[in-house]
Amino acid sequence: MQDIKELDNRGIPGGFVASDVFVDAAHSHSEAIGFHANSLFVAHPIQDRTDRELVELADEAFSSAVELICSQTN
């Protein structure tokens, strides 16, 4: 989150991708630092997936991930 905030301060669009178990943690961190980054949450877990499952997950999230760097909502 700190990295995304720094990019935003420099005028560079961005966001972060995390698995959905981190929604509450991301919200808490955002509140703590006073910055609400663009975010994309994908299904958890990540580490136990096969290569094929990871490719499918990435394909499903791709358009939303591109929007993170193309939007200027912050």
Side-chain angles (χ1 to χ4, degrees):
M1 185 89 58
Q2 298 290 87
D3 293 338
I4 300 307
K5 182 179 179 185
E6 178 61 28
L7 290 173
D8 187 73
N9 289 340
R10 295 178 186 196
I12 301 169
F16 69 91
V17 179
S19 60
D20 55 16
V21 298
F22 296 104
V23 170
D24 290 340
H27 179 73
S28 294
H29 194 141
S30 292
E31 291 295 316
I33 66 172
F35 177 75
H36 298 277
N38 292 329
S39 57
L40 170 61
F41 295 96
V42 297
H44 188 80
I46 300 296
Q47 72 274 11
D48 295 335
R49 294 180 185 262
T50 65
D51 289 349
R52 182 182 187 122
E53 290 170 329
L54 286 172
V55 168
E56 290 172 4
L57 183 65
D59 285 345
E60 290 171 7
F62 182 78
S63 294
S64 296
V66 170
E67 288 178 29
L68 289 177
I69 59 172
C70 293
S71 73
Q72 297 181 2
T73 59
N74 286 341

